[in-house]
Structure formats: structure tokens, C-alpha cells
Amino acid sequence: MQPDRTVKRPQPYVADHVDRGILRLLQTDARRPFSSMAAELGVSDQTVARRYQRLRDRAGVRVVALTEPNPTRHELWLLRIRSAANNVDSLMSNLAVRTDTAWISTVAGPQGVESTTMVFRERTETGFALVRELSAQHSVASVSAQLCMSVFFGGPDSLLTKDDGPLEAGHPTNLPKPRARNDHDPDGRLLQALSIDGRASLKQLSRASGLSEDTAQSRVHALAAEGAFYFDVDFDPTLLGYTSTFAIWATVAPAQLSHAGIALARHREVSFAAATTGNTNLYAVAHCVDDHAMYRYITGDLARLPGIQHVETAPHLRSIKRARRDLTS
């Protein structure tokens, strides 16, 4: 009898009710003490600490501080890039290390594997340097760039709020205008430390900023209140049992675009929705438990959006970069 040489792939970690409770509480207060979470969830402090560490180690959960883009200085663009199959990994790696990119994925497009990425662009920039650079590469077949004119719902972690209660979306839309960040002053060093680990201890924040622990704590509260940053709970949607992720490009009658976008943002499957320029004017990312559920969503709630005329879908193949980014200016 021949030995079984089948390679068994590790099963993805799926959150249970305690894990989901921890994630939900982190979204409402990212630096909430474990003891406070434990009291609300009805478990011990040690259980919360152990579960959080397991979520970090096995599911890639990270609490990170993100600098809110200044709407007077930055534009959010969606790039759709088609390149030679043997160049996709290299291209994605180069895009991922840039500080102006976020939410980079490969998708199965109508002409093969494509990549989608969000780019934060300076309004004062002459032309679009990244598009020019990509277009000049021989291995890149085509690049399309769509300006996100209005974001109806943002942040991939907003999924949890729709599933587990009437909480606000994970990505704020009504923050005060953020101030410029300087990594050489104490506040800038605090933000840098929090962008790596939003739950860094006061001792770690004190060491990073050069401030006392009490001063570091008060500055974190003050900076958050000023809108200098917001906390994001960064994780893979498969943690919540969503194994099917699709990019959606839709065309909606202009008179109905706002109504359609607002309705789309309310769908529990949707983690990002925006009105865009281009051949299609509504873009979204949707997550379902499996492909059959995605089919029901596309032919059901999505098809019933007001003014919807055309829909193109592309399944996500791999996520290269999620919410973690560093926008310092």
C-alpha cells in the first residue's frame, strides 16, 4: 500500500462568537482594555488576551492607525491593470511597497488575471505619474484609472458592523480635516508607532515618542479627536467565513447614481462602494460565504438597485495589500 502523499492545506481560521465579539469591540474602541472586553463578553481577561493573540497569529488581525487623506489635497483613484501573466507578482509587489497605494488585489477579468489598486494622488500633481510609469512598461497591456468622486461606504472591515449590529462604518466619513504629519515631532512619532500597532502599550508609545506615558496617552486622545487619524481593524474577510469576494463595476443612470450608491452601501455584503468616472460609474467590493451566495446577491439585491443598467463582476484571486497604508502629507 502506497503512503498517502496528498498535501493537506491548512484550513482557514474562522472566528467564533467570542472572536467576533472581540473584533466588534475593537471597532468601537480600538484601545479598549482586555478586562473591559472580558466583562462585556462574559469571559475571563486571559481568554480575551489569548483569543486576540490567536487572531493576530493565525488570522492576521491588526489594529492600525491610518491617516485620513485630506480631501482638499488628495484624490482617491481606482486603477485596473492588465499585464502579462508572468509579470503579475512582480508588478503587485512593486505597487504594494508604495505609500500611496492600498487595497491591492488580483482578480479574474474577462481577458485574464488583472490587478486592482486604490491610489491616493496629490491634487497638485501634474499628470498621473504612476499611470505613465505603468503604461510605459512593455509587460503591461492596459491601465484604466477611475476617480472615486464619492465614497458611499469604505473600509473592508465594515463587514463586521453590518453583520453584528447597528454600528457605524469602520471608515469615518465625517472627521475634521486632518493636520499634516511630521514623523520627527512627538505627535508624528506617536502616529508612526500606532500605524504599526494601534494597541501598542503606553510604555511602547512613550519610548517611541519621547513623551511620558500620561502625556502620550493624552496626545493619542487629542489627535484622534482632532481627526489626525482613525483606527482600523485590518483582517481578511475569510475570518468571518466569507470565501467569495468579487469586484463589481456597474453602470447606473446618472439621475439614480446617488440613490443607487446609498442603497448599495447598506448591503451587508458590501465593504466598499464609490461613484467613479469612466465607462462604468459605480464600483464596489462584495463578500459572500460562497459562490452560490454571491450569485444570489448579484441576481437579487444588486440587480434591484435603482437605475442599474449594466454589471460586470470579477472574482478576487488574491489580496496583496489591505487597509494598511502610510499617507503622511
Side-chain angles (χ1 to χ4, degrees):
M1 180 176 180
Q2 295 295 321
D4 183 4
R5 301 182 183 277
T6 303
V7 177
K8 295 183 179 180
R9 297 181 179 179
Q11 293 297 312
Y13 182 77
V14 178
D16 63 12
H17 71 285
V18 175
D19 296 328
R20 285 172 175 260
I22 292 171
L23 292 172
R24 176 175 56 81
L25 294 176
L26 287 173
Q27 287 190 315
T28 53
D29 182 359
R31 293 184 60 81
R32 186 169 181 169
F34 288 149
S35 58
S36 176
M37 293 188 207
E40 181 156 341
L41 296 174
V43 297
S44 68
D45 299 8
Q46 293 81 1
T47 295
V48 174
R50 184 174 65 252
R51 288 298 191 93
Y52 177 69
Q53 190 58 49
R54 186 166 70 178
L55 286 168
R56 284 177 57 90
D57 294 343
R58 294 187 56 188
V61 171
R62 293 291 184 273
V63 175
V64 291
L66 301 180
T67 306
E68 184 72 2
N70 190 324
T72 65
R73 294 187 57 190
H74 298 104
E75 298 172 332
L76 178 61
W77 287 76
L78 169 68
L79 299 190
R80 189 173 180 180
I81 309 161
R82 188 163 57 87
S83 64
N86 60 0
N87 187 58
V88 172
D89 289 343
S90 174
L91 176 63
M92 293 299 92
S93 297
N94 290 336
L95 287 173
V97 298
R98 295 178 61 105
T99 59
D100 57 350
T101 62
W103 298 296
I104 303 175
S105 298
T106 55
V107 301
Q111 300 181 48
V113 176
E114 302 176 1
S115 61
T116 62
T117 181
M118 290 292 183
V119 178
F120 295 90
R121 176 177 177 267
E122 287 276 357
R123 289 185 181 274
T124 56
E125 181 184 335
T126 302
F128 204 150
L130 178 55
V131 172
R132 290 199 306 270
E133 293 170 15
L134 290 170
S135 299
Q137 295 184 26
H138 295 299
S139 59
V140 174
S142 65
V143 180
S144 68
Q146 295 175 278
L147 173 64
C148 295
M149 300 180 291
S150 178
V151 176
F152 298 107
F153 197 74
D157 310 319
S158 303
L159 281 168
L160 188 71
T161 63
K162 293 183 180 181
D163 285 345
D164 289 6
L167 304 177
E168 294 300 318
H171 187 92
T173 56
N174 59 350
L175 290 176
K177 289 183 180 179
R179 51 191 248 172
R181 174 177 138 190
N182 181 350
D183 288 345
H184 299 293
D185 67 24
D187 285 351
R189 292 195 294 270
L190 272 177
L191 291 177
Q192 175 62 26
L194 290 170
S195 71
I196 298 171
D197 181 5
R199 289 186 61 84
S201 68
L202 289 178
K203 181 179 292 186
Q204 291 171 318
L205 294 179
S206 173
R207 188 162 54 244
S209 64
L211 303 172
S212 69
E213 292 185 15
D214 288 343
T215 302
Q217 184 174 36
S218 66
R219 289 308 302 155
V220 170
H221 291 316
L223 289 167
E226 292 172 13
F229 72 95
Y230 66 95
F231 283 115
D232 185 83
V233 185
D234 185 24
F235 59 87
D236 190 321
T238 57
L239 179 61
L240 300 180
Y242 295 100
T243 63
S244 181
T245 297
F246 276 66
I248 298 169
W249 290 267
T251 302
V252 176
Q256 295 293 324
L257 182 56
S258 180
H259 297 297
I262 292 170
L264 184 65
R266 295 194 181 107
H267 294 176
R268 60 174 293 184
E269 294 85 358
V270 171
S271 64
F272 182 84
T276 70
T277 59
N279 294 331
T280 58
N281 57 5
L282 189 61
Y283 172 75
V285 177
H287 310 262
C288 289
V289 294
D290 55 33
D291 293 341
H292 296 294
M294 183 63 70
Y295 172 77
R296 290 193 297 271
Y297 170 66
I298 292 171
T299 58
D301 288 347
L302 183 65
R304 288 191 289 269
L305 287 176
I308 194 102
Q309 298 173 344
H310 172 77
V311 172
E312 178 190 347
T313 59
H316 276 218
L317 301 176
R318 187 161 65 98
S319 177
I320 289 88
K321 187 176 184 180
R322 296 199 298 272
R324 275 172 279 182
R325 57 179 171 81
D326 180 18
L327 190 65
T328 59
S329 56

